[in-house]
Amino acid sequence: MKTLATSLLVGVALIYALATWADNAGWGAWAGYVAAAAEAGMVGALADWFAVTALFRRPLGLPIPHTAIIPTKKDQLGASLGSFVGENFLSADVVRGRLHALGIGRRLGTWLAEPAHADRVTAEASTALRGALTVLRDADVQAVVGEAITRRAEAVEIGPGLGKTLEKIVTDGAHRRAVDLVCTRAHDWLVTHGESVMDAVQGGAPGWTPRFVDRRIGERVYKELLRFVTEMRDMPGHPARGAIDRFLADFAADLQADTDTRARVERLKSDLLARPEVQDIIASAWSSVRNLIIAAAEDDQSQLRLRARASLISLGKRLATDPRLQAKVEGWAEDAAAHLVTTYRDEITSLITDTVAGWDAVQTSRKIEANIGRDLQFIRINGTVVGALAGLLIYTVSHAAGG
């Protein structure tokens, strides 16, 4: 295109020279018209060449003011471009209006309602979740989880809560199954370890008593103990069971109202939390939860992914048909986007400004010229043609006016 524009300039220059010679040689009045048109065409071509060249470099290397505009004004152009983008594209009103026109809520709902799209979102979310859990250091998370659980447990008094729970259990009679289990296991143990019980009783007897007396006492104690446990096991209304009910009821009341009991429970809680075994259990909870989540995220038939998929489809259907929900989602999106562009507009526009400032001036000029140079050369061509027509018109009017 440069060659074409330059060739046109050379062409009108040759035409001017020939037309001037023809006019001086008396070939006719037409030679003057052609010479005037060609002269004006040269002027237009040279003027537009100067204008186009001045954008990217100094014409003929001469230090003419206001030339080489792009290389010398590159940073100012970047700042102006950043400011233009910030004012016209990154304003809260523009972003809100654009997002509102898009109808994000309805579009998102229609898209999510498709099972294939819900599967895709679930798979991508599972991959992101696995990646996040893999990157996290177990030691750091365990320390945070352990500290959070311990701090929470220390900050909350557990006595009244335990008392209310125990009171509810006693009122509903749920503790009786535990009593039944203890009585059954105690009976079975006594049946199996009768000799051990009798030996223990005999071992606690005074040394001066006869051995056969100790034996008879041990047998008697064992039989009474077995009878007592058997009756407790088989008799729901056994007095000992009633005593246990009353004890648990009184203990539940003390946990809620008695200051000393509550204080002792708190001390016991603190002692338990301070034990290394308890801290290890609390810290290891993260590993168990992490492995459980990773396994569920990897299995496309796990309840986690199936429920997530079903929830996404349900949400999509609601979004697609519920105008109120659509309005809420669109409002959240607009508020979030407006907050981002308002808060971080300078940082976003600085990306443009800093990027342009980092470009090499000469390389930038060459890149711009390479991209828009074809159109700029058309300016030179048009200048040649328009100049020639204007010169011909002026010459014609002048001769017509002069007679």
Side-chain angles (χ1 to χ4, degrees), residues 104-129:
I104 291 178
R106 179 182 54 79
R107 290 190 178 190
L108 178 61
T110 303
W111 190 83
L112 281 177
E114 293 291 334
H117 297 159
D119 288 338
R120 179 180 175 184
V121 174
T122 303
E124 294 295 338
S126 298
T127 301
L129 180 60

Side-chain angles (χ1 to χ4, degrees), residues 131-142:
L133 292 177
T134 302
V135 170
L136 290 175
R137 294 178 56 189
D138 287 348
D140 295 339
V141 179
Q142 287 173 354

Side-chain angles (χ1 to χ4, degrees), residues 193-229:
H193 301 86
E195 291 296 330
S196 299
V197 175
M198 288 186 286
D199 291 343
V201 174
Q202 293 178 51
W208 48 266
T209 57
R211 298 292 294 175
F212 76 91
V213 174
D214 295 342
R215 182 68 181 177
R216 294 294 299 276
I217 293 175
E219 292 176 354
R220 184 65 179 176
V221 170
Y222 170 71
K223 290 180 180 179
E224 288 298 322
L225 184 60
L226 182 60
R227 181 186 61 80
F228 176 78
V229 173

Side-chain angles (χ1 to χ4, degrees), residues 134-157:
T134 302
V135 170
L136 290 175
R137 294 178 56 189
D138 287 348
D140 295 339
V141 179
Q142 287 173 354
V144 173
V145 172
E147 181 182 359
I149 294 177
T150 302
R151 188 188 307 115
R152 178 63 178 172
E154 290 178 345
V156 178
E157 185 180 0

Side-chain angles (χ1 to χ4, degrees), residues 174-194:
H175 67 291
R176 295 193 179 100
R177 292 186 178 181
V179 175
D180 293 340
L181 177 62
V182 172
C183 291
T184 301
R185 294 301 300 271
H187 176 271
D188 295 342
W189 187 88
L190 286 173
V191 171
T192 305
H193 301 86

Side-chain angles (χ1 to χ4, degrees), residues 144-349:
V144 173
V145 172
E147 181 182 359
I149 294 177
T150 302
R151 188 188 307 115
R152 178 63 178 172
E154 290 178 345
V156 178
E157 185 180 0
I158 64 172
L162 288 176
K164 291 180 180 179
T165 303
L166 181 58
E167 182 180 20
K168 178 66 174 176
I169 291 174
V170 173
T171 301
D172 295 341
H175 67 291
R176 295 193 179 100
R177 292 186 178 181
V179 175
D180 293 340
L181 177 62
V182 172
C183 291
T184 301
R185 294 301 300 271
H187 176 271
D188 295 342
W189 187 88
L190 286 173
V191 171
T192 305
H193 301 86
E195 291 296 330
S196 299
V197 175
M198 288 186 286
D199 291 343
V201 174
Q202 293 178 51
W208 48 266
T209 57
R211 298 292 294 175
F212 76 91
V213 174
D214 295 342
R215 182 68 181 177
R216 294 294 299 276
I217 293 175
E219 292 176 354
R220 184 65 179 176
V221 170
Y222 170 71
K223 290 180 180 179
E224 288 298 322
L225 184 60
L226 182 60
R227 181 186 61 80
F228 176 78
V229 173
T230 302
E231 290 178 352
M232 278 194 66
R233 183 194 65 179
D234 300 336
M235 296 174 57
H238 195 279
R241 287 179 174 264
I244 293 175
D245 293 346
R246 290 191 295 274
F247 166 76
L248 293 176
D250 292 341
F251 185 52
D254 290 341
L255 284 173
Q256 299 179 68
D258 185 69
T259 305
D260 293 338
T261 302
R262 291 166 59 176
R264 286 197 293 270
V265 170
E266 287 301 306
R267 287 195 296 270
L268 176 62
K269 179 191 72 175
S270 299
D271 293 341
L272 288 174
L273 289 174
R275 293 188 65 83
E277 298 87 349
V278 176
Q279 289 297 317
D280 290 341
I281 292 175
I282 293 175
S284 64
W286 161 250
S287 297
S288 301
V289 173
R290 174 180 174 275
N291 294 333
L292 180 65
I293 294 176
I294 290 178
E298 291 176 345
D299 184 6
D300 56 1
Q301 296 299 319
S302 65
Q303 286 297 316
L304 176 64
R305 292 186 60 166
L306 291 177
R307 290 179 181 271
R309 176 180 180 276
S311 298
L312 287 173
I313 294 175
S314 176
L315 176 61
K317 291 179 179 178
R318 285 191 57 197
L319 267 176
T321 57
D322 189 346
R324 294 180 60 185
L325 185 57
Q326 292 174 11
K328 283 186 178 181
V329 172
E330 291 170 1
W332 295 336
E334 291 171 14
D335 291 341
H339 173 74
L340 286 175
V341 299
T342 302
T343 306
Y344 301 103
R345 176 166 53 196
D346 294 339
E347 286 78 0
I348 297 172
T349 56

